[in-house]
Amino acid sequence: MKAAVRDSSHRRVVQPRLTHRGRGLLLDQTGALSVAGWADRVDHVVDVGEELDVPAVLLRPDGHVAWAGEDQQDLLGPLRTWFGAAAG
């Protein structure tokens, strides 16, 4: 699955079919990350192919990058900041 494409100015953009739900989106090439606790607000797509320049990226519902990296602990802060407290 190709999750991102280049626009006319050669910037990478996420395909609209992945962001049309108005939710956050974690694109994860590592397969090691989790959005447990935020799954009701954040979709998680694993193995997005070679389109990402980073191991993983968390997108806000408006498509802006909220976080990029590969460490689960580093991901927790942006999840809380942009999507509130974890459920449960």
Side-chain angles (χ1 to χ4, degrees), residues 13-33:
V13 294
V14 176
Q15 290 184 359
R17 66 185 171 80
L18 295 176
T19 58
H20 76 277
R21 296 177 59 192
R23 296 163 47 97
L25 177 64
L26 177 64
L27 299 174
D28 176 10
Q29 295 186 116
T30 72
L33 299 173

Side-chain angles (χ1 to χ4, degrees), residues 2 4 12 19-20 24 28 30-31 45 47 53 58 63 68 83-85:
K2 290 190 176 185
R12 290 176 188 246
T19 58
H20 76 277
D28 176 10
T30 72
V45 176
D47 190 23
D53 293 331
L58 176 65
F83 303 102

Side-chain angles (χ1 to χ4, degrees), residues 5 12 15 26 29 38 42 52 54 60 67 72 82 86:
V5 296
R12 290 176 188 246
Q15 290 184 359
L26 177 64
Q29 295 186 116
W38 291 272
V42 179
L52 291 179
V54 294
R60 301 182 331 206
W67 173 86
Q72 180 70 39
W82 292 105

